[in-house]
Amino acid sequence: MPSVTVTGASTSLGRRVLARLDQRPPAQGNVMVHLAGDLRRGLSDAEVDGVDRVVLVSSAQVYGAWADNPVPLTEDAPLRPNPAAVNAVERAEAERVLAEWRERHPDAATVVLRPALVVGGDDAPTPLPGRDAGVPAQFLHEDDLADAVALAAVGDIDGVFNVAPDGWIAAETVTALVHPIGVPRWGRLSAFVDRVAHRAAPATAALSAYRNQPWVVANDRLRAAGWKPSHTNEEAWVTSQEPSVLTELSPSRRQMLALIGTGALGIGALAGVTALVLRRRRRRS
């Protein structure tokens, strides 16, 4: 009987993947999906159980965040994780272990997924994006990653695939998404929070690199395999935020606010939106 083993099944991503696999289980073979846990031990178990397909969720961070990175990075780019970025280094090591396992099991399929910065999950707060370095950014909604994992588990694809929305967004657009109506007081508060988060990080140098150097990826290979993102970068960001006066608005209105923040709309529109926000606040008070 076909079977699927999922490590990290209790995580937010794991629950979404399981929901998709319940609707579309594999037609044949035994599949192991690694979302979390000790990859080396898991592959040892796979040797015993005769797994036919292994899916590893790695990260686009394995490419490293470097000033000379091409924009976008393809799957053929070398792995250069920033040494201080523990997660990136561990993911690159996991990919190496999987490659060695594949050499011992040439008849098995292995799929490595390298997602961009994932947002919209329940397990961890969204990292604050860099806003002043002029570098592009990507935000992948966890639902789109879950779709990619399910495709890798039940489909017939093999190899390495980046997972990201179409294209990327510029640094100034990220600023507009984080502070959609651009009230200076909010900007100063956010800058303060930004500095506190930066100083509290255990690997400040690594955090700074991934905030301020490019590491966006191309999704052409996965798209050609049948996957399609359901969220744009902007939609993924705004739908991932905690409910507030602004995030309770519809996605289209929130994107309109982002455009206002970049100056694409006029002062009159800004005044109208500001009035809407103030009116909603008065009602709540």
Side-chain angles (χ1 to χ4, degrees), residues 29-245:
N30 297 319
V31 180
M32 179 167 284
V33 177
H34 283 278
L35 306 181
D38 187 339
L39 178 67
R40 192 180 300 274
R41 183 180 62 186
L43 290 179
S44 176
D45 294 340
E47 290 179 347
V48 174
D49 296 338
V51 168
D52 303 296
R53 171 178 291 268
V54 177
V55 179
L56 169 66
V57 177
S58 180
S59 170
Q61 293 181 17
V62 297
Y63 295 116
W66 304 101
D68 61 349
N69 276 346
V71 177
L73 291 152
T74 68
E75 290 84 352
D76 298 324
L79 303 192
R80 301 189 298 163
N82 297 65
V86 176
N87 178 67
V89 172
E90 289 180 348
R91 297 299 175 114
E93 172 63 12
E95 290 194 27
R96 186 193 65 78
V97 171
L98 180 58
E100 290 183 350
W101 183 87
R102 174 64 180 268
E103 291 180 356
R104 301 193 302 271
H105 302 81
D107 294 331
T110 57
V111 181
V112 175
L113 300 177
R114 295 173 180 165
L117 180 64
V118 181
V119 297
D122 303 327
D123 297 324
T126 301
L128 292 171
R131 299 195 303 276
D132 302 320
V135 297
Q138 286 177 314
F139 301 109
L140 174 69
H141 198 282
E142 193 173 74
D143 279 336
D144 286 330
L145 177 55
D147 288 340
V149 175
L151 172 65
V154 305
D156 58 359
I157 64 174
D158 197 354
V160 179
F161 299 86
N162 293 330
V163 191
D166 296 333
W168 50 86
I169 54 180
E172 56 269 21
T173 307
V174 176
T175 302
L177 290 171
V178 177
H179 310 293
I181 66 173
V183 177
R185 178 170 53 86
W186 294 4
R188 290 196 297 271
L189 176 60
S190 176
F192 170 75
V193 173
D194 223 6
R195 290 194 298 272
V196 171
H198 192 279
R199 292 170 182 171
T204 303
L207 175 64
S208 180
Y210 283 93
R211 286 168 48 88
N212 298 313
Q213 300 296 343
W215 54 288
V216 299
V217 297
N219 66 4
D220 306 71
R221 184 177 295 181
L222 189 58
R223 259 190 167 277
W227 174 85
K228 181 180 180 180
S230 58
H231 298 77
T232 65
N233 285 284
E234 293 86 352
E235 290 169 346
W237 172 260
V238 296
T239 59
S240 71
Q241 302 308 292
E242 290 296 325
S244 68
V245 171

